[in-house]
Amino acid sequence: MKQLAYNLQLFKEIFFPRRCAVCNVEIDTGLVCAACRKAFALHKVKLYGADRKSWQALNNIGQPVAAEDIFDRVELLYRYEGAFKEALHKLKFDREARLLPLLKEEADLALTGSFRGLCRHYDVLISIPTSEERRRLRGFDVPQELFAELRKQSLREALLERKRSTAPLYTMAEEERKAELEGCFAVKQKEQLLDKRILLCDDIYTTGSTMKEAAQLLLKSGAKSVGVLAFCASKDNWS
């Protein structure tokens, strides 16, 4: 079956060459050409260095906890705009699965050289889980599939699960997001998290609310530190 799908894709690209989603030039891989990819590339790394002890200290005194108080680092690959924003939206909400291989290739192209080396700083890689309902509708989990190449290293989906679906967060204020996300994740096999450096992977990073909810649970469960890797990031995170 996989061989048939591969042959069909090969046939299609021979007779209908792939073209850049921005400038329409012929391309061999990914969603966009090299020149347009350069315009979307963010490759931003924010180093914070937070760990379980620093998070616990703040949490115990009831102080509001920001991303820099929870995350070890945040790694962002592409700008969430234009062709990348449109492709992710179509993939997630219009179920245009044909875009998934193209975006997976873009993730692989971004995770090269020294940037891929940053990922090896972690012991365990976990993607933010999609709800079971959305997974059934799409037929796949977007963050998990985008970073399939990293899964060859140490991505462990079973350690974090989503207990319930959440409403779309992009229209909510910060406190509403926090309330909507509270308790939506659960940890399994806690012993595999003890004193481990965790890299959380997701498709889009906006306010970081989803990542923060998951990270706090992982730290509470014994993780040593939690970093973040996102395929795309909203404009507020570009500077």
Side-chain angles (χ1 to χ4, degrees):
M1 198 68 181
K2 288 184 179 179
Q3 186 61 43
L4 176 60
Y6 173 81
N7 290 340
L8 288 173
Q9 182 65 24
L10 184 62
F11 176 85
K12 179 181 178 182
E13 295 202 2
I14 289 174
F15 292 96
F16 303 97
R18 192 185 305 190
R19 294 190 175 276
C20 173
V22 178
C23 68
N24 205 40
V25 301
E26 189 172 323
I27 57 176
D28 295 321
T29 188
L31 178 72
V32 297
C33 67
C36 292
R37 182 175 301 113
K38 187 176 181 179
F40 283 102
L42 192 55
H43 286 198
K44 186 175 182 61
V45 179
K46 301 177 181 180
L47 300 175
Y48 296 134
D51 57 22
R52 183 172 65 235
K53 290 182 179 179
S54 62
W55 169 78
Q56 285 177 329
L58 290 169
N59 198 50
N60 287 340
I61 62 176
Q63 181 173 327
V65 183
E68 55 266 31
D69 302 319
I70 301 176
F71 301 140
D72 172 45
R73 56 156 56 92
V74 175
E75 307 174 19
L76 309 170
L77 301 183
Y78 292 108
R79 300 172 186 267
Y80 185 55
E81 65 172 353
F84 277 75
K85 182 176 182 178
E86 182 179 353
L88 271 174
H89 190 276
K90 287 181 177 179
L91 176 65
K92 295 179 70 172
F93 302 109
D94 297 335
R95 285 181 275 172
E96 292 197 22
R98 65 179 180 81
L99 293 167
L100 182 58
L102 312 187
L103 294 177
K104 287 172 66 173
E105 289 173 359
E106 291 295 347
D108 292 343
L109 287 165
L111 290 168
T112 56
S114 59
F115 205 76
R116 184 177 288 275
L118 288 175
C119 299
R120 289 194 285 268
H121 170 78
Y122 297 94
D123 303 307
V124 178
L125 284 74
I126 302 174
S127 63
I128 292 291
T130 304
S131 69
E132 187 59 36
E133 178 186 1
R134 289 175 184 165
R135 188 184 294 108
R136 283 198 304 269
L137 285 172
R138 295 172 186 157
F140 51 84
D141 189 310
V142 175
Q144 179 181 339
E145 292 298 327
L146 284 177
F147 296 106
E149 183 65 25
L150 290 180
R151 193 162 67 243
K152 295 176 182 178
Q153 296 182 32
S154 57
L155 193 62
R156 302 179 188 176
E157 306 304 332
L159 299 184
L160 186 66
E161 63 178 351
R162 191 180 284 263
K163 295 166 60 179
R164 58 176 174 80
S165 298
T166 53
L169 303 176
Y170 53 86
T171 60
M172 297 183 184
E174 184 176 353
E175 287 303 312
E176 292 177 309
R177 290 174 185 241
K178 183 178 178 180
E180 180 65 23
L181 288 164
E182 188 172 359
C184 75
F185 296 116
V187 162
K188 300 170 67 176
Q189 304 178 60
K190 289 186 180 181
E191 66 280 1
Q192 294 194 38
L193 295 172
L194 293 176
D195 291 319
K196 293 293 193 297
R197 297 166 299 176
I198 311 296
L199 181 62
L200 271 176
C201 305
D202 205 0
D203 52 353
I204 306 169
Y205 187 96
T206 50
T207 66
S209 299
T210 303
M211 293 288 206
K212 283 168 62 177
E213 179 68 21
Q216 290 187 90
L217 179 59
L218 292 169
L219 291 168
K220 185 178 180 180
S221 300
K224 182 178 182 179
S225 62
V226 178
V228 167
L229 171 64
F231 180 70
C232 279
S234 62
K235 193 171 185 177
D236 291 343
N237 298 288
W238 296 355
S239 59

